[in-house]
Amino acid sequence: MKIIFLLLLAGAAILLFYTVMKARKDPVSDPSRLDTEEVEYREQYDHHFTLSYRGYRMIGKKYLHPREDSIEVTKVVMNAVHPDQLSGFSRNDLYKMEECILSHFPYASIEWKQPVKELVLTEI
């Protein structure tokens, strides 16, 4: 019984070490990337992906629909990961992210959720 407990404890320690090392190497959490002018696109599980641009992170959900001869992503719904940290987020940042989305999914319509939706709906 003692051996099983020690093996479980060692497994938990290895898992914790792996998680910490993976979080440290995550480029999205790297503060030196906050001033980069490139949008980072990352595929996630199932139909989700993340976009990172100048420290702002958004998560998107893809919706697939059949077209004439193939199945394409026709709708993308975007949410802010931390909406309270969007101070300074501008319409130009939004356009840059939309440009990246459309480069990956050219037939997609993009729907933004609150609070970014307010930025889309305001007049220039």
Side-chain angles (χ1 to χ4, degrees), residues 22-34 40-42 44 50-58 81-82:
K22 187 174 180 182
R24 289 186 67 196
K25 290 182 180 180
D26 188 13
V28 174
S29 64
D30 185 10
S32 66
R33 294 187 55 103
L34 293 180
E40 182 179 321
Y41 173 85
R42 288 181 125 180
Q44 297 291 328
T50 58
L51 288 180
S52 301
Y53 178 65
R54 293 180 48 199
Y56 305 114
R57 267 183 71 199
M58 306 285 177
V81 174
H82 299 288

Side-chain angles (χ1 to χ4, degrees), residues 86-99:
L86 287 177
S87 63
F89 187 77
S90 68
R91 191 171 284 198
N92 289 334
D93 300 332
L94 181 72
Y95 291 151
K96 198 80 155 164
M97 288 185 158
E98 283 184 349
E99 185 179 299

